[in-house]
Amino acid sequence: MTSSLEQLKAAGTTVVCDSGDFATIGKYKPQDATTNPSLILVASKKPEYAKLMDEAVLYGKDHVSERTQYQLKAAPPNLSIPTAFDTVLMLLQGKDLDSKVDATLDRLLVEFGKEILKIIPGKVSTEVDARFSFDTQASVDKALHIIDLYKSIGIGKERILIKIASTWEGIKAAHILQSKYGINCNLTLMFSLVQAIAAAEAGAFLISPFVGRIMDWYKAAMKKEFAPHEDPGVKSVQSIFNYYKKYGYKTIVMGASFRNVGEITELAGCDYLTIAPNLLESLYNSKDDVPKKLISEDATNLDITKKSYLNDEALFRFDFNEEAMAVEKLREGISKFAADAITLKDILRKKIEKAFRVASSGPQLPSTTRVSDNDRHMALSLAGKTAIVTGAGSGINFSFASLLLSKGCNVLFADLALRPEAQELVSKHSDSSQPSARAIFQETDVRDWAQLERMFDIANKEFGGAHIVCPGAGVFEPAFSNFWHPPGHPPSRDPPWSSHYASLEINLTHPIRVTQLAISHFLNPAPSSHLSVVSPQNPRAIIHVSSVAGQATLFIAPIYVAAKHGVSGFVRSLATLDQALGIRVTAVAPGVVKTPLWTDNADKMAYLKETDEWVTPDFVAEVMVDLLEKDEVEVLASPPVLGGTTTAAVEPGNKSLNNGNEKIATRTVKVEGGMVLEVGRHVRKVETLMDPGPSGQGHSVSNINLITEGVLRDLKSGWGVV
């Protein structure tokens, strides 16, 4: 029996590959291929496509906008060489550098299209920048430019589809391109029959209704799963197909954005279907029957009311506005494509700036974005990323998760439970239909390795994988697992026969195991994941929460101290992963942090006097984000010179560095794998060797001697005997 993929083709469906990874396309013998900035972003991070990036950057670097040409012509002819050079550099900043980046991105899209067309016999779709979704003329101009770029490398317009969002303005742009220039268009981000009718009237060559995203919305709204035959996305494509066939429109219906094979086979007989490589692989390996479900002839007998929108903008907008799903998903889709295009442009901008540095022996091109010498792009842009954070239900990890969400990063909260403020935050960010970052809660006991693996499975299912992992859950020498309360002696809950300490499992074993799992998932993305394998050009991050106890001793909490020494040493030991694999493992080592771990525990609060200085969890979270987002950070150059009163708490924004009578010298250090940053009143880099130990305020408590005396009083004959 033939494969399900071949049966799908035999049902009359033209198979299109939805990928920018042309190395995977040929196997499935598709007729056409589609791309978008999101797909190109993923593909461009793979080492095998570095050559295409380089070619695009070379083109963009030499691109001179009309604005720059005018200003250079207007410059006085007797400028000295240094002044002339400065003038050129000035012009290369701001809008003109933006122009170079735009030109580079356009060329990159065309370079990918060129390579794809070497593999497929048909057409490739190349997308107009989503920023122009509401500008008809800008969309037309960009489309003409893309066609000219293809023409310059010997590829005619007959092999190109210009991909434009199905807004009113986008549909009008397609109408102009089709009727005036004979340029074929693919109207994408289609979620309603209203859009489809207007597109057909505009004479669009092809439309792309998004099956999976429609289903996503209804799944979230109705809190239910859908079988393939009742899938709302499938039904939407069926209704568009039937309308087109009944009224004889020639526009091709190409279902897109599939979540599973069932959605695809339910649309067997549809004109075209564009399918991601992982689903093509499933169809390729399957022998299941794929009967034809959509039959053109059957549509002619259906009772369907004909409507018209192309010349009635008000009616189009009103009818489209009546479909909440379509409105929300169109907005979300445009925002996502635009965000990924910005991310891709940021990568290209750094490469262009570096190209100028390499090419010039004079002054360097001013840069608003710091670029590492080896161009490994280890600093992460958090927007659109996903993080797994254990212990995110409270304290430092809650503040970290909250800050990540505010920067557009999805977060999986892994904890035994959520405090009220965490519940509120997760609820606020739980709607998958909204374009903002999303949060989900996964109940997790970090001592259970199966539950730790489950975190990654959920991250793959909900977000397509994780870029950042923070095994932050921890406890401070709790009574239930405490060196001075041996197993079998209440209040210890460590059984004498269990051969483990719960506090060590939480504070040391769990972060080690989570790091193992993270590395494995980074190197082996799940088939359902949209992430590519980690590399120095496609980095990931693991950030730990150690403690100043990792640089010190503390008689009253020896198991905690041992664990934090272990965490800090563990992090330093993994420094090589940064340059070798693109996995940056770092840690913060906070002092006394004002979290429920202290404030909800009267025994712990007894360690403190009112004059003792806290570190706030928000400040620690900011330092953690710095380790992700920045290539360099400001730290103490030497122990602080103190002279004056202290404040009650270290607040966000007070990282440096001249408060009142307190004069602090700082230095800039490169963020790199194995780094541990101590966080007290100020931030200090913990040296791997010969470290002087915790420095400054926010690191100690005043009543420690009283607690020590209490422990010593309990150490008498009979202690530890079960």
Side-chain angles (χ1 to χ4, degrees), residues 307-362:
K307 294 185 177 181
S308 179
Y309 293 108
L310 187 62
N311 297 314
D312 194 337
E313 179 180 352
L315 181 61
F316 172 90
R317 292 193 184 279
F318 181 86
D319 285 358
F320 178 71
N321 189 66
E322 291 299 285
E323 297 188 46
M325 175 277 297
V327 173
E328 292 180 21
K329 299 308 286 186
L330 176 61
R331 173 176 55 81
E332 179 188 77
I334 290 171
S335 296
K336 177 65 166 62
F337 283 164
D340 284 344
I342 290 171
T343 300
L344 191 51
K345 286 181 181 181
D346 286 343
I347 295 172
L348 296 174
R349 179 185 297 272
K350 292 176 183 178
K351 287 184 173 289
I352 292 171
E353 291 173 337
K354 184 180 180 183
F356 275 102
R357 289 189 176 93
V358 172
S360 170
S361 59

Side-chain angles (χ1 to χ4, degrees), residues 187-229:
L187 282 168
T188 188
L189 292 175
M190 185 162 288
F191 302 100
S192 74
L193 183 59
V194 174
Q195 292 168 293
I197 292 172
E201 291 181 301
F205 179 85
L206 180 148
I207 62 168
S208 298
F210 277 37
V211 178
R213 297 195 193 186
I214 293 175
M215 187 272 289
D216 291 346
W217 190 91
Y218 282 99
K219 179 181 177 181
M222 300 177 68
K223 309 299 183 187
K224 63 170 289 187
E225 300 287 338
F226 294 92
H229 70 277

Side-chain angles (χ1 to χ4, degrees), residues 35 51 61 101 112 127 129 174 204 233 288 302 304 370 460-461 482 587 627 662 693:
T35 66
K51 182 180 178 182
K61 181 176 75 71
V101 173
F112 270 87
E127 187 152 344
D129 195 322
D288 292 345
L302 297 176
I304 305 173
R370 185 172 294 279
N460 284 330
K461 178 181 177 182
N482 185 301
L627 286 170
E662 185 182 34

Side-chain angles (χ1 to χ4, degrees), residues 382 384-388 404-405 408-412 436-439 463:
L382 296 179
K385 301 298 191 300
T386 293
I388 297 173
L404 290 175
L405 286 167
C409 180
N410 303 313
V411 180
L412 186 152
S436 60
R438 192 155 63 93
F463 303 114

Side-chain angles (χ1 to χ4, degrees), residues 456-659:
F456 290 89
D457 293 339
I458 295 297
N460 284 330
K461 178 181 177 182
E462 295 291 335
F463 303 114
H467 306 78
I468 301 157
V469 176
C470 174
V475 290
F476 180 72
E477 204 81 7
F480 67 78
S481 182
N482 185 301
F483 184 82
W484 302 116
H485 302 302
H489 288 261
S492 173
R493 296 201 296 268
D494 289 333
W497 59 85
S498 65
S499 302
H500 69 258
Y501 292 102
S503 56
L504 269 182
E505 288 189 318
I506 296 168
N507 289 337
L508 183 58
T509 306
H510 132 254
I512 291 174
R513 180 57 180 153
V514 168
T515 300
Q516 279 185 321
L517 291 170
I519 294 170
S520 176
H521 280 264
F522 294 161
L523 291 171
N524 307 284
S528 60
S529 173
H530 66 266
L531 302 181
S532 54
V533 176
V534 66
S535 70
Q537 294 76 33
N538 183 33
R540 303 284 188 273
I542 304 170
I543 185 163
H544 289 259
V545 179
S546 184
S547 166
V548 291
Q551 293 97 253
T553 61
L554 188 59
F555 177 76
I556 63 172
I559 294 180
Y560 180 78
V561 168
K564 294 306 182 180
H565 272 268
V567 169
S568 293
F570 176 69
V571 167
R572 294 192 191 98
S573 298
L574 299 182
T576 301
L577 291 176
D578 190 350
Q579 293 190 24
L581 294 178
I583 301 173
R584 177 174 288 171
V585 185
T586 57
V588 289
V592 183
V593 184
K594 192 172 186 178
T595 69
L597 184 148
W598 286 87
T599 57
D600 288 359
N601 191 319
D603 291 339
K604 300 292 187 297
M605 290 298 290
Y607 298 0
L608 293 146
K609 288 183 178 179
E610 290 185 3
T611 55
D612 286 334
E613 186 165 352
W614 294 100
V615 179
T616 66
D618 288 348
F619 180 52
V620 180
E622 282 194 357
V623 177
M624 293 169 75
V625 167
D626 284 350
L627 286 170
L628 298 175
E629 284 191 319
K630 294 184 177 180
D631 289 316
E632 296 178 342
V633 291
E634 289 287 317
V635 300
L636 288 177
S638 60
V641 179
L642 300 176
T645 59
T646 65
T647 56
V650 179
E651 295 295 340
N654 288 348
K655 296 176 197 173
S656 62
L657 286 174
N658 191 357
N659 293 331

Side-chain angles (χ1 to χ4, degrees), residues 27-46:
K27 176 179 179 179
Y28 309 107
K29 297 180 174 60
Q31 174 68 22
D32 294 349
T34 55
T35 66
N36 60 52
S38 301
L39 296 174
I40 298 298
L41 175 60
V42 172
S44 67
K45 294 178 179 178
K46 297 185 177 182

